């Protein structure tokens, strides 16, 4: 019974830490450069 209780506590603690990290996020701003750009017909050949 003790083994099951320890396993459940470990899973609960891990889930709590994962939830906190998920809600906090990594912060910062997204990159301002790069991404998609429109191609001219010459570039498609």
């Amino acid at each position: 019974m003790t083994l099951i209780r320890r396993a459940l506590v470990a899973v609960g603690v891990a889930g709590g830490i994962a939830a906190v990290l998920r809600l906090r996020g990594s912060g910062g701003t997204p990159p301002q450069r790069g991404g998609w750009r429109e191609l001219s017909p010459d570039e498609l050949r």
Side-chain angles (χ1 to χ4, degrees):
M1 193 64 167
T2 305
L3 180 64
I4 295 173
R5 186 175 296 147
R6 283 186 183 181
L8 289 176
V9 169
V11 168
V13 169
I17 291 172
V20 167
L21 292 177
R22 176 91 176 179
L23 290 175
R24 264 190 65 209
S26 60
T29 57
Q32 301 297 317
R33 294 177 178 249
W36 294 90
R37 66 179 179 89
E38 191 171 339
L39 296 175
S40 68
D42 293 333
E43 292 177 309
L44 294 175
R45 287 189 223 168

